[in-house]
Amino acid sequence: MMLAVLAKLPIISWPAILPETIFIGGALLLLAVSALSNKKLSSGFCAVYTILISVAALGSSMYLWDKLSSHSSYVAMSSSIAVDGFGVFVAILVCSITVLIALAGEGFFRDSWGSLEFFVLIMLSSSGAILMAMANDLIVVFLGLEIMSISLYVMTAMDPSRTSSGEAAIKYFLLGGFSSAIFIYGIALIYGSTGSTNLANIATFLADNVLVQNGVLLCGIAFLIVGFAFKVALVPFHMWTPDVYQGAPTPATSFMAALAKAGGFAAFLRVFFSTFGTLRSDWRPIIWVLAVLTLLIGVLLALVQQNIKRMLAYSSISHAGFVLLGLQAASAIGVAGSLYYLFTYSFLVIGSFTVVMLVAGEKDTNHSLDSYKGLARRRPWLAGVFTLLLLAQAGVPFTTGFMAKLYVLSALISAHGYALAVIAMIGAAIAVFFYLRVVVLMYSPAPGFAANDETGAALDTDTGIGESIEVGDEAATIQSSGMSLTRSTALVLAITVGITVAFGINPAPLIEFARHATLLFH
Amino acid sequence: MGNSVYLEVLIILPAFGALVVALCGNVREYVVRQIGFVISMLVLALAVVITVRFHATKAGYQMVVNHPWVRALGISWHLGIDGISLFLVLLTALLFPICLSGKVGLDNRSSETLVEGESVGNGRVKSYVAWMLLLEAACLGSFLSLDLIFFFLFFELTLIPGYFVIARFGHERKVYAAVKFFVYTFFGSTFLFVGILAVAFIHQSQTGVLTFSLSRLASTHFSPMTADLLFLAFSAAFAVKAPIFPFHTWSPDAYSQAPTGGSIVLAGVMAKLGVYGIIRFDLGLFPKATVDLAPLLLTLAVIGILYGAIVAASQRDFKNLVAYSSLSHMGFIVLGIFALSSEALTGGVLEMFNHGIYTAGLFLLLGIMYRRSKTSDITKFGGLQQYAPVLAGVFTLVMLATVGLPGLNGFVGEFLILLGTFQTHRWWAVVAATGVIFSVIYLLFAYQRVFHGQVSKAAAFAGYIANDDAVTAAGGSGDSPAGDSPAGVATKRIVFRDLTWTEGLALAPLVVLIVFLGIYPRPVLERITPSVDRLVTHVVQANRHANLGVSVNHSTAHLSSIPRHPGGAGKGQ
Amino acid sequence: MSIPGSWYLTLAALLFSIGVVGILVRRNVLIMFMCIELMLNAANLTLVTYARMLNDIGGQVLVFFVLVVAAAEVVVGLGVIVSIFRRAKSTTADDLHILKG
């Protein structure tokens, strides 16, 4: 009797969800251990633990990848999970992000507030992102989205010393909840018009039936777009981004910048490219408009920011516009381009925010662009690294940033999106401007001499290094307020810079990786 | 292919040098300068070896390197050199050591920075040398790349060091100039990038092969409309970089605000990147559109020649004057290209080389004068010949080369261009020729104001009279340029020194080439001609095919003018 | 006699719209939060209705997922709201003005 019941239950193919399981199990175990142990767990221990868990998840993702390259992709868990190259690629990316953020977090928390919770939350959030990437059912996408987002809300609110942290969390939570509700309503409408939430079933349904009155379906798709657009911060659904990026503790910002984009775009690409591919003539115009707005408004607003985190937030918005180009191309090369972009961008943004974290100091407060003035004199290595990362974000040749833009634009142009390509490049040209602005600031004389400049405008800042003999005291105070480079943060910077340069000079392996991921698309 | 490694080393060596300089710690300024100089000299030596081993009579690419870089996107590390790029490579390799030698490339801006020279001079020199070496690598890479993506990579890469050289080491309005330079050129490249991708994907849709290799893309067929649009997209980037008339507004600012080394490279090498791009890619990829749109470009070129000359005449700043005169000369080169005859194109390529040499000479001399007087305002000078006869003599020679005096190098290129243009586009040539006369007027006028005239008038402005604090302060600081002068005393005595021997040494190769190429341009011409003939034949044949196949699409004016070239091309020199 | 399914759908759409408008016009954080709940429940109602119309149990199962997620959101959301307003002593969104630009 019992056996008969058991036999009816769906078979759970554990290997298919191994990375997620490892993350969730790891997080729960860490919580349990901390609850049971008498003394507070040190942040070093938590970080090492998180890194081990992430590496284990990375290993399991690699194992899945390895299996995929010999076998074909398959679905598991009542076909609600797709184990394919695409999902595993994102899983590998997410695990790498988690390793880097755990390293950066170790440098940041130092046994102060939240040192345990942060690590638990990044593991939970990562499991959500992987779930989104591997989801083959809209409801699983929704679950992954929520697992990821709810952890991010908490991470945003974690800093007890700054009011802005809580404020950012409320904004993020309200707008995130709002977009989730829109998203689930979209799912409901799609379910109503196609009779299923399973991506494969929907695709089959749409291929077999031509809907005469597809208003409800299109409404549902529009709602899905809005939901995704909120998560990955596309204009005009980006309002939360700068506030949240600014308010959240910097490692959390860096985590959400990389992870929410990776998870969000993974599901976005899968749902629209593979499931609603037959309706592309309906959704491509919407994506076109979103892409144009995102590319241009993102960079234009970034130009006027005085806070580095806000500036990077707007820059991340414009990067989202570039990732969107791959979807607009609606081709395999486009999806590969978007994946490549996400991969390289994640490392760039983590590196950049780690520098921001180091400059911001123990209290995580020095975020004005002024605190970057003269950074090259005080901390030449940090300034050099930041210069490289910013230039790579700007898409300078022989960095990953350039190849990423090249890849998505190739996809777009092979789909005859010439106008959008020109707009994107104009956006990139404007973007260079504000990245260079920070670079010029870093190499300009240290504060205290600002008054000597002919004009106060940041762009007109005198860039001649030096002219500063009596700035010693000022520089010293700023130096002391910055955070010193620990071994773990140095490692983060080394990895991000290494990947940026190595795959910039020899992009072939990574491009092949992204291309294989799309070839193994379910 | 034992030769093939030369080109790779040529690009990698300066890039590696830049890395070494950037990463070396607290080394003395002198050592950094020497590293930079030695590396650029090695590059020059290598370029000379390449020139020697270059087969003069061969028309195609030589020393070709071709490795796949990203197979998935059909990008390959494809390098090669032909008669057109050979002398641009040589020019690049020649000008960079001059910019990096001694202290001539890097100006001190004003008196206040003289003090700074002591405290942080090392960092300043270090980054200057590193950026310049990177710029050299990028320029050489652009001239040698036969893969469109690699060309674009290097073409774009020139912007970053270019920006920093202007923005960090330039004069009063350097940040404004650097940003303007960057924004203009980047917006131009926007269209180039989209154009490159479009060409490759159109080629892919026709042949099923995704490649960015120039030689394979050259066989792509475009509809006339597409070809014209793509031609314009490519030309937008090149026209900004060159600069060609309506896209030139960044150049006077950038040329005059850059430090001497930056000006030399901007006008001498980077301007050539634009024209080189037109020759290599516009003519190579869109022969039909080239013929269709030649009148447009010819007109812009002629306007540029006259406009540049006229505006140059009204400049007070000598560097601005040279910038506008450069615009005028770039107009000549473009005229030579779009005349589409073998003579004119050969003349254009030769003129690219020559213009690089004499413009570098002019900027170098102006830089030397600036170091003594802290100004490049023409009206503040006067009667310099009395105090600096050698400087004045060299200046005369370089200036006469610039105006195209027969017997000096400027003449040969311009003459060939006008000759070739006259055969195919008579009236454009006639109007352009008046530009030569203008250039004589404005340069001689400026020369006269600076080197002759009243000393007392100049003394009123006292830029280089030893009565101000600048010189006194400079006398105190060991490595400041004005400190060379022993006369750092507070009497009203002229301290404008004549050329020092290091400065003379930097100028010497330019002077020698100016005279040598003026008298005996044959070795250069015979290497350029085969490649140019091949290119002109390519353009003419593509148009002939089009005319035979489609027949009625072209306007009669071109039909009558084109078939005449092969005859002219055959005669050569 | 039964009420046609489209009535339920219309009601759900109305509830959803009320929720959207509420978020956009109301300034009290708690009320905005309630509006989100309203939207989620509108989606639930839609799902259930469609499940009945399609004779498919799947849609009703989805509602459970949404309920659980909504509960989790409440926990986190109220926690955040309480933590910040313990300091601010007001629940108006207009008071959240540190972050702007």
Side-chain angles (χ1 to χ4, degrees):
Chain A
M1 187 61 196
M2 193 68 178
L3 277 175
V5 173
L6 280 179
K8 270 191 192 165
L9 287 174
I11 303 150
I12 296 180
S13 149
W14 289 105
I17 51 164
L18 204 51
E20 294 97 314
T21 321
I22 290 175
F23 269 128
I24 292 182
L28 295 181
L29 186 65
L30 184 58
L31 272 182
V33 168
S34 76
L36 294 176
S37 75
N38 291 327
K39 57 180 187 305
K40 202 168 174 292
L41 298 177
S42 75
S43 75
F45 169 79
C46 295
V48 171
Y49 176 84
T50 311
I51 290 164
L52 287 178
I53 292 291
S54 315
V55 168
L58 187 63
S60 68
S61 312
M62 298 279 196
Y63 161 76
L64 285 177
W65 178 266
D66 199 43
K67 254 179 47 174
L68 278 173
S69 32
S70 49
H71 304 73
S72 64
S73 48
Y74 60 99
V75 291
M77 320 280 276
S78 312
S79 88
S80 63
I81 295 281
V83 183
D84 57 6
F86 179 86
V88 177
F89 180 95
V90 178
I92 289 173
L93 172 60
V94 167
C95 298
S96 323
I97 292 173
T98 318
V99 171
L100 289 177
I101 297 295
L103 280 171
E106 197 276 328
F108 182 79
F109 286 103
R110 304 287 188 77
D111 302 321
S112 58
W113 44 269
S115 63
L116 167 77
E117 294 83 349
F118 178 79
F119 295 102
V120 172
L121 288 168
I122 60 172
M123 283 189 273
L124 287 176
S125 197
S126 300
S127 74
I130 298 176
L131 201 58
M132 275 181 96
M134 295 174 62
N136 196 35
D137 191 302
L138 283 174
I139 207 69
V140 179
V141 173
F142 178 69
L143 280 180
L145 186 73
E146 288 299 314
I147 295 175
M148 182 179 87
S149 306
I150 291 177
S151 317
L152 289 178
Y153 303 150
V154 182
M155 285 164 69
T156 309
M158 272 174 58
D159 190 341
S161 61
R162 287 182 304 129
T163 327
S164 58
S165 171
E167 178 179 329
I170 287 199
K171 285 181 177 169
Y172 193 17
F173 169 72
L174 284 176
L175 287 171
F178 183 52
S179 70
S180 301
I182 293 176
F183 190 79
I184 191 72
Y185 193 63
I187 293 178
L189 295 181
I190 289 167
Y191 169 69
S193 47
T194 62
S196 174
T197 53
N198 187 287
L199 294 181
N201 292 351
I202 295 174
T204 324
F205 178 85
L206 290 176
D208 295 345
N209 303 284
V210 177
L211 293 179
V212 184
Q213 287 190 318
N214 56 1
V216 172
L217 177 63
L218 292 185
C219 247
I221 291 177
F223 282 153
L224 279 197
I225 292 182
V226 173
F228 280 128
F230 261 110
K231 283 298 161 203
V232 299
L234 303 179
V235 179
F237 308 106
H238 67 287
M239 300 81 76
W240 59 273
T241 321
D243 289 352
V244 172
Y245 277 33
Q246 186 187 346
T250 309
T253 309
S254 134
F255 183 63
M256 78 176 72
L259 186 92
K261 283 237 170 16
F265 265 114
F268 201 173
L269 288 167
R270 184 192 290 279
V271 170
F272 279 84
F273 178 62
S274 76
T275 308
F276 296 123
T278 44
L279 296 174
R280 67 185 58 172
S281 57
D282 291 314
W283 53 258
R284 275 184 72 189
I286 306 179
I287 301 291
W288 195 91
V289 173
L290 284 178
V292 169
L293 288 175
T294 308
L295 286 165
L296 292 182
I297 293 184
V299 287
L300 289 177
L301 289 176
L303 282 179
V304 298
Q305 299 306 318
Q306 289 304 322
N307 180 300
I308 188 85
K309 283 172 93 178
R310 292 188 86 82
M311 196 206 87
L312 285 175
Y314 283 111
S315 115
S316 88
I317 290 171
S318 85
H319 284 296
F322 270 97
V323 182
L324 203 59
L325 298 182
L327 180 60
Q328 169 69 15
S331 61
I333 172 172
V335 174
S338 292
L339 282 184
Y340 182 85
Y341 205 110
L342 283 174
F343 195 98
T344 54
Y345 166 73
S346 298
F347 285 93
L348 286 178
V349 81
I350 290 175
S352 305
F353 273 114
T354 306
V355 176
V356 170
M357 179 184 104
L358 289 171
V359 174
E362 306 285 345
K363 291 206 178 74
D364 200 12
T365 43
N366 288 339
H367 294 308
S368 81
L369 282 182
D370 285 340
S371 36
Y372 288 81
K373 231 175 172 207
L375 188 70
R377 303 273 327 266
R378 303 195 301 272
R379 308 174 78 171
W381 280 98
L382 200 60
V385 166
F386 203 31
T387 304
L388 189 98
L389 291 169
L390 287 176
L391 289 180
Q393 287 204 45
V396 161
F398 300 107
T399 60
T400 48
F402 179 85
M403 280 313 294
K405 288 193 169 62
L406 172 70
Y407 209 166
V408 287
L409 284 175
S410 317
L412 188 63
I413 282 176
S414 66
H416 302 291
Y418 300 111
L420 190 53
V422 170
I423 292 171
M425 281 303 289
I426 289 174
I430 303 172
V432 177
F433 211 64
F434 60 77
Y435 292 123
L436 277 180
R437 180 179 156 200
V438 180
V439 174
V440 166
L441 267 181
M442 287 194 295
Y443 286 91
S444 66
F449 251 65
N452 289 2
D453 288 341
E454 305 96 292
T455 51
L459 273 173
D460 283 353
T461 317
D462 195 345
T463 46
I465 193 168
E467 287 158 59
S468 44
I469 292 141
E470 59 256 61
V471 290
D473 305 324
E474 301 237 20
T477 45
I478 285 180
Q479 175 109 44
S480 64
S481 67
M483 202 186 279
S484 59
L485 197 67
T486 60
R487 234 176 301 167
S488 55
T489 42
L491 192 57
V492 175
L493 294 181
I495 292 173
T496 49
V497 166
I499 285 191
T500 302
V501 174
F503 288 124
I505 291 171
N506 183 17
L510 197 52
I511 282 184
E512 286 301 316
F513 185 32
R515 214 167 58 89
H516 276 288
T518 26
L519 291 181
L520 297 170
F521 215 172
H522 181 66
Chain B
M1 287 302 241
N3 279 340
S4 62
V5 74
Y6 288 132
L7 300 187
E8 286 179 302
V9 175
L10 200 58
I11 298 172
I12 293 167
L13 183 64
F16 176 74
L19 195 68
V20 168
V21 173
L23 293 182
C24 72
N26 271 335
V27 187
R28 281 175 50 224
E29 184 185 317
Y30 174 79
V31 179
V32 172
R33 281 188 200 283
Q34 290 313 308
I35 293 176
F37 182 65
V38 166
I39 287 174
S40 59
M41 282 306 280
L42 285 176
V43 174
L44 176 60
L46 198 59
V48 170
V49 171
I50 288 172
T51 314
V52 171
R53 303 197 66 152
F54 184 84
H55 296 288
T57 48
K58 274 203 202 163
Y61 298 113
Q62 304 183 22
M63 307 183 193
V64 175
V65 181
N66 197 350
H67 306 298
W69 189 52
V70 181
R71 267 179 225 275
L73 294 177
I75 307 171
S76 50
W77 172 243
H78 190 177
L79 305 176
I81 194 165
D82 71 351
I84 298 171
S85 51
L86 176 68
F87 289 97
L88 295 172
V89 169
L90 200 58
L91 178 68
T92 311
L94 175 73
L95 293 187
F96 273 92
I98 292 176
C99 300
L100 290 168
S101 70
K103 293 167 184 170
V104 282
L106 189 56
D107 306 322
N108 276 315
R109 265 171 294 144
S110 46
S111 50
E112 112 239 15
T113 53
L114 294 179
V115 192
E116 167 239 328
E118 289 178 302
S119 58
V120 288
N122 187 6
R124 194 172 149 84
V125 170
K126 197 171 99 174
S127 53
Y128 173 77
V129 172
W131 285 127
M132 286 299 270
L133 285 175
L134 186 62
L135 188 55
E136 180 168 23
C139 290
L140 290 170
S142 314
F143 288 131
L144 294 174
S145 293
L146 298 180
D147 182 283
L148 267 67
I149 291 292
F150 262 104
F151 171 78
F152 185 80
L153 275 166
F154 285 119
F155 190 78
E156 282 298 285
L157 192 58
T158 57
L159 286 186
I160 304 293
Y163 174 86
F164 281 104
V165 166
I166 301 174
R168 288 193 62 191
F169 312 107
H171 301 285
E172 294 78 22
R173 284 158 57 240
K174 59 192 176 179
V175 175
Y176 168 75
V179 168
K180 201 168 171 185
F181 158 76
F182 197 99
V183 170
Y184 270 66
T185 12
F186 204 102
F187 270 95
S189 337
T190 297
F191 295 97
L192 174 62
F193 189 50
V194 174
I196 287 175
L197 292 175
V199 168
F201 282 101
I202 290 173
H203 182 263
Q204 189 194 21
S205 68
Q206 288 171 2
T207 61
V209 182
L210 182 59
T211 175
F212 287 94
S213 160
L214 176 64
S215 43
R216 298 182 67 178
L217 289 177
S219 61
T220 317
H221 298 284
F222 303 100
S223 69
M225 186 66 188
T226 319
D228 286 359
L229 284 175
L230 286 172
F231 177 89
L232 290 176
F234 274 66
S235 305
F238 299 143
V240 172
K241 199 87 161 188
I244 296 174
F245 164 63
F247 306 105
H248 66 280
T249 49
W250 63 269
S251 69
D253 288 310
Y255 289 7
S256 61
Q257 297 303 314
T260 302
S263 303
I264 292 175
V265 172
L266 277 173
V269 181
M270 284 170 76
K272 307 304 176 299
L273 270 178
V275 200
Y276 170 79
I278 291 179
I279 297 180
R280 181 69 90 216
F281 299 103
D282 279 353
L283 268 59
L285 291 172
F286 317 111
K288 277 170 260 171
T290 303
V291 174
D292 283 350
L293 296 173
L296 173 69
L297 271 295
L298 285 169
T299 310
L300 289 182
V302 170
I303 295 176
I305 293 170
L306 295 180
Y307 175 84
I310 292 167
V311 178
S314 65
Q315 294 304 310
R316 272 183 61 164
D317 187 297
F318 216 134
K319 287 184 94 173
N320 266 340
L321 186 147
V322 179
Y324 279 107
S325 119
S326 248
L327 175 67
S328 182
H329 284 106
M330 295 320 279
F332 270 106
I333 298 173
V334 176
L335 191 74
I337 295 169
F338 285 96
L340 294 172
S341 79
S342 188
E343 285 94 345
L345 189 51
T346 308
V349 176
L350 180 65
E351 177 72 5
M352 282 158 80
F353 187 56
N354 286 337
H355 174 257
I357 290 169
Y358 58 66
T359 306
L362 279 179
F363 275 125
L364 196 54
L365 286 161
L366 290 174
I368 290 167
M369 286 156 65
Y370 182 87
R371 289 175 65 199
R372 287 160 174 49
S373 61
K374 297 283 162 269
T375 182
S376 53
D377 189 333
I378 296 171
T379 58
K380 290 189 183 175
F381 290 102
L384 282 189
Q385 199 186 18
Q386 285 167 258
Y387 307 100
V390 182
L391 180 75
V394 175
F395 202 103
T396 314
L397 184 83
V398 177
M399 183 201 66
L400 289 177
T402 311
V403 301
L405 190 79
L408 298 176
N409 70 342
F411 172 74
V412 191
E414 274 179 24
F415 178 74
L416 280 173
I417 291 172
L418 288 174
L419 185 72
T421 314
F422 196 78
Q423 289 171 4
T424 58
H425 299 82
R426 178 163 306 171
W427 291 107
W428 278 285
V430 170
V431 181
T434 59
V436 181
I437 302 165
F438 276 118
S439 77
V440 177
I441 295 172
Y442 66 75
L443 267 175
L444 283 181
F445 191 58
Y447 176 83
Q448 191 238 340
R449 301 239 302 224
V450 170
F451 287 93
H452 299 278
Q454 291 294 318
V455 190
S456 56
K457 173 191 155 239
F461 293 96
Y464 48 94
I465 306 291
N467 65 342
D468 57 351
D469 307 336
V471 177
T472 326
S477 88
D479 73 313
S480 73
D484 297 349
S485 78
V489 285
T491 52
K492 286 222 171 210
R493 205 158 63 77
I494 305 289
V495 292
F496 199 96
R497 287 190 62 192
D498 210 341
L499 284 184
T500 63
W501 69 272
T502 39
E503 290 159 352
L505 218 55
L507 276 164
L510 299 177
V511 171
V512 168
L513 277 173
I514 284 173
V515 176
F516 178 77
L517 291 178
I519 299 166
Y520 189 59
R522 203 183 136 81
V524 178
L525 286 175
E526 70 185 11
R527 283 173 173 78
I528 295 176
T529 313
S531 301
V532 164
D533 282 347
R534 184 160 167 265
L535 187 62
V536 171
T537 318
H538 168 70
V539 174
V540 170
Q541 274 183 354
N543 280 283
R544 190 174 291 154
H545 283 307
N547 295 336
L548 293 177
V550 191
S551 76
V552 279
N553 246 341
H554 292 278
S555 72
T556 47
H558 302 144
L559 274 181
S560 59
S561 67
I562 288 140
R564 261 192 255 145
H565 310 167
K571 273 182 249 155
Q573 307 310 315
Chain C
M1 116 141 217
S2 67
I3 302 169
S6 58
W7 288 36
Y8 289 99
L9 294 180
T10 315
L11 174 65
L14 272 176
L15 287 176
F16 186 80
S17 313
I18 292 170
V20 172
V21 173
I23 297 250
L24 297 179
V25 302
R26 293 304 293 263
R27 283 285 149 259
N28 187 303
V29 172
L30 282 174
I31 294 196
M32 290 166 83
F33 189 32
M34 284 187 222
C35 289
I36 292 175
E37 291 299 312
L38 200 59
M39 290 164 72
L40 285 173
N41 284 318
N44 284 343
L45 186 57
T46 315
L47 280 171
V48 173
T49 312
Y50 275 130
R52 278 300 295 272
M53 288 165 76
L54 296 164
N55 263 330
D56 173 48
I57 196 74
Q60 303 197 21
V61 174
L62 297 190
V63 173
F64 283 100
F65 282 102
V66 179
L67 287 177
V68 171
V69 165
E73 273 196 351
V74 170
V75 171
V76 168
L78 284 183
V80 171
I81 291 174
V82 167
S83 87
I84 183 168
F85 290 115
R86 194 175 283 160
R87 216 171 335 184
K89 309 258 190 290
S90 120
T91 53
T92 311
D94 291 338
D95 292 342
L96 304 172
H97 53 65
I98 302 174
L99 298 168
K100 58 173 181 264

